[in-house]
Structures are given as structure tokens and as C-alpha cells.
Amino acid sequence: MEKGKIKELIKISLDELKDTNDMDFELTEETVLLGENAVMDSFDFVSFVATLEEKIADEFNKSVTLVSEKAFSKKYSPFKTMDRIADYVIELLNEAE
């Protein structure tokens, strides 16, 4: 899987969320997306995940469920930063093969 493409989908999904909800934050590799000092609240996170899952399905022709017991049972949240989400998406896509 191409991590760069997945990060692009994450960025597009976050940009759409920012536009829809009139949010203002700078997106960098270190931007905290979920957890302490996050740029989103839980409602924004749900919208982001739904958008991202849709974009992943369109791009890779595979359905993934990002929020699951598996995700929340990990030692470190796969949703904290863009990089962690990208790694987690790659993991899920590889499992879906």
C-alpha cells in the first residue's frame, strides 16, 4: 500500500471536515487528531472517520471499519496523528486482501 496516497485521503477528509464545520487548525504530521489536546471533538471524529472510510473504499475498492474493538485495544491509539491513522489503514487494507 502506498502510505502517501492514504495520507492524501486523510488530508482530504480532514479538509472537508474543516470546511463543513468551519474549523480552523493547521494540519501537520504532529497534529493531534484524537485524545488530549486534539483538534476535533468526538462528533467531528465520527464525521471524519465516515468520510475517510468512504474515500478508502472508493480508492482501493475495499471496505474497512476503522473504529472497532481492535482499534481501541491497541496500546497506542491508531487515531492520534495522521501518520498513525495511515499505518492503521495500511494494516486493515492488508488484512482485507
Side-chain angles (χ1 to χ4, degrees):
M1 291 292 137
E2 185 183 331
K3 190 171 183 176
K5 182 61 183 173
I6 294 168
K7 282 186 171 184
E8 181 182 327
L9 296 176
I10 294 167
K11 184 179 181 325
I12 291 167
S13 299
L14 287 168
D15 285 343
E16 287 179 14
L17 178 71
K18 286 170 61 176
D19 290 344
T20 302
N21 295 356
D22 198 30
M23 300 169 76
D24 184 30
F25 61 85
E26 183 180 353
L27 182 60
T28 68
E29 293 290 324
E30 304 305 315
T31 301
V32 177
L33 302 175
L34 186 66
E36 191 173 332
N37 300 317
V39 296
M40 299 187 267
D41 63 23
S42 57
F43 295 109
D44 295 330
F45 177 72
V46 170
S47 296
F48 161 68
V49 166
T51 301
L52 180 57
E53 287 177 342
E54 184 178 305
K55 292 190 180 314
I56 290 167
D58 290 346
E59 180 68 29
F60 297 103
N61 203 27
K62 293 181 183 175
S63 178
V64 296
T65 302
L66 296 176
V67 178
S68 66
E69 185 177 328
K70 176 182 176 179
F72 288 106
S73 67
K74 290 185 170 288
K75 184 174 182 178
Y76 299 104
S77 170
F79 306 115
K80 186 167 183 162
T81 63
M82 186 166 53
D83 198 56
R84 283 195 194 170
I85 295 172
D87 288 339
Y88 185 58
V89 168
I90 290 169
E91 180 184 327
L92 293 175
L93 288 170
N94 286 335
E95 288 174 2
E97 289 182 353

